[in-house]
Amino acid sequence: MTERTPGFATLAVHAGAQPDPTTGARATPIYQTTSFVFDDVDHAASLFGLQTFGNIYTRIGNPTNAVLEERVAALEGGTAGLAVASGHAAQVVVMHVLMKPGDEFVASKKLYGGSINQFNHSFKNFGWNVVWADPDDIGTFERGITPKTKAIFIESIANPGGVITDIEAISAIAKRAGVPLIVDNTLATPYLCKPIEHGADVVVHSLTKFLGGHGNSIGGLIVDAGTFNWSREGRYPMLSQPRPEYNGIVLHETFGNFAFAIACRVLSLRDMGPALSPFNAFLILTGIETLPLRMARHCENTQAVAEWLAKHRKVAWVSYPGLPGDRYHNLAKKYAPNGAGAVFTFGLKGGYETGVKLVSNVKLFSHLANIGDTRSLIIHPASTTHKQLSDEQKTQAGAGPDVVRVSIGIEDKADIIGDLDQALEAA
Amino acid sequence: MSHDSYPDAYIRGILNTVKTIAMVGISPKDNRPSYFAFKYLLDRGYNMIPVNPGQAGHEILGRKVYARLGDIPEPIDMVDVFRAAQYAPQIVAEALALKPRPQVIWMQLGVRNDEAAATAEAGGLKVVMNRCPKIEYGRLSSEISWMGVNSRTLTAKRANIFGRGVQRMSLARTTMTGGTTIDSAAAKSKGA
């Protein structure tokens, strides 16, 4: 019998889903229920004791969410997934399994701004201390490692400026330090980049962006690569020590190469509580079915828009790794050979005032703070999301007064360029 | 037979064929992976027989424990080895001495002994190493998908309910060919 491994587009449509065993429903049903009945007392005990597979309560697991979890795990090439309420929730859940008060993790300082806030402020309330490193100077990651370091966190393609991180180089540092490498793969999606192939041990997603893809649902997901040995030095007691909440089970020994995903579910999600609504899971699953088609179109449109802007007389610079000459162009060719994503920034010669006019003049682009929608989106960070910062802080964050961020949609590229053209002319 | 990966059809064939499984090295403690696997397989209709010299004469999950394979008074189809790899040759020798011989030697996730496997195969037995029958059953029946685990199976055919209850699935189903059991990353990671 010839062995066939399903391709990416087939997995995007099918992985994790199958006709409902009792009704034959072909689309994944929305199991909008809080709870699931037990067959008998022994069955209930087996479920609560993690002795069998099954559903108890939607905060811990839900069959609609499970399809989404398996779908993304399959697309990333991981052993298991866990869906949570948002990308931020994914990061809290992951770190809750890894960190104790006083522990540290090394993170790229070129991350989505929301992650920087979460690490700098909210995580510190838990005593989880971030040590910032610079992806443009890989040695800073190595120098950031201390005996308290429990993880390294990076983004494959970082929002907003299209920073491509050298995942393999940082993975080598993580392996030497004996800590897991966590990669936020939101902007790339597994269609453009599969961090596990480059040495990631855990992948996190905001499903809200390109995976869901339609700007209609918030969600997050954690993928366990199955690659990290959690028991080697006893540094991850949630996985390597008997758990009192589960009758002394050792999760790594019991669940092997998907133990991290199970720990995130049965310890962190169960007790911290950021469960994903099954309805959101359904909408995001529907989005993922067309992920390969959408990402190809997003990238084709973005390349065209970036090339057009680079030649525009009112534009000072364009930061898009798909452009030859961009400082991340070679890394993009290695890590995202099918396209450098659909989010980038550009600078206006006219500065702050021109930026404000541009976002007011657009008619097709939506002026809002999200990215990764079918629709083209635009924002002028200096006058909106980064308004409270000083000019120096704005520039440091890649949100100087002249900077405009766009997330290019899947409309006709002539219409996208046409809208920017008329808006720039009038700016 | 390569023991780095196994086609789904091979694993499914074994789990669909065997009925009586002797688990060597089962723990009587209800928080141990061997106990989990034993209970799960018992609940999926397999005739499970515990083997553990320290527990001989006692019962585990209502099943009488035997000290060694040779003491079991009925034919067994499969020996599930829940012992460290160094003990595999001795267990295989005991299995080959049984009349009738079992059809399958299955070594648990984290357990691999190529020498013992070669001996068993030379004796006409099928061998699986470094896998857990509970995980493989869960994977091929799709039960494990409820835990968000990548089952590496794909199908447009619906699953079948196993016997009583609503949260037990049967192995009697079709999936697209080409799946293999959990990949070699499993070999690096211990577990059941």
Side-chain angles (χ1 to χ4, degrees), chain A residues 275-334:
Chain A
L276 180 70
S277 148
F279 184 66
N280 278 20
F282 172 82
L283 291 173
I284 293 163
L285 269 172
T286 304
I288 290 175
E289 291 181 10
T290 57
L291 177 70
L293 298 171
R294 286 186 291 105
M295 289 311 288
R297 179 66 169 260
H298 275 297
C299 289
E300 180 194 327
N301 284 356
T302 306
Q303 186 71 30
V305 172
E307 286 172 8
W308 179 82
L309 280 170
K311 289 184 210 144
H312 198 281
R313 64 188 165 79
K314 291 193 174 180
V315 173
W317 52 266
V318 176
S319 173
Y320 182 61
L323 294 178
D326 186 272
R327 71 178 297 184
Y328 299 107
H329 188 60
N330 286 334
L331 284 171
K333 280 199 285 193
K334 175 172 181 180

Side-chain angles (χ1 to χ4, degrees), chain A residues 18 39 55 70 79 81 253, chain B residues 32 145 150-151 167-168 173:
Chain A
Q18 50 190 291
D39 292 342
N55 301 293
E70 185 173 359
T79 53
E253 152 186 279
Chain B
R32 303 300 299 153
S145 297
N150 183 2
S151 68
Q167 295 200 32
R168 293 178 181 86
R173 56 185 317 225

Side-chain angles (χ1 to χ4, degrees), chain A residues 93-116:
Chain A
V93 165
V94 163
M95 289 302 182
H96 177 246
V97 170
L98 301 177
M99 310 279 288
K100 278 194 176 311
D103 283 344
E104 296 173 1
F105 65 105
V106 179
S108 165
K109 67 179 185 183
K110 301 240 166 104
L111 293 181
Y112 159 52
S115 297
I116 290 177

Side-chain angles (χ1 to χ4, degrees), chain B residues 153-169:
Chain B
T153 64
L154 200 145
T155 183
K157 306 286 187 197
R158 67 177 163 175
N160 290 305
I161 304 285
F162 174 84
R164 68 195 176 88
V166 290
Q167 295 200 32
R168 293 178 181 86
M169 309 300 283

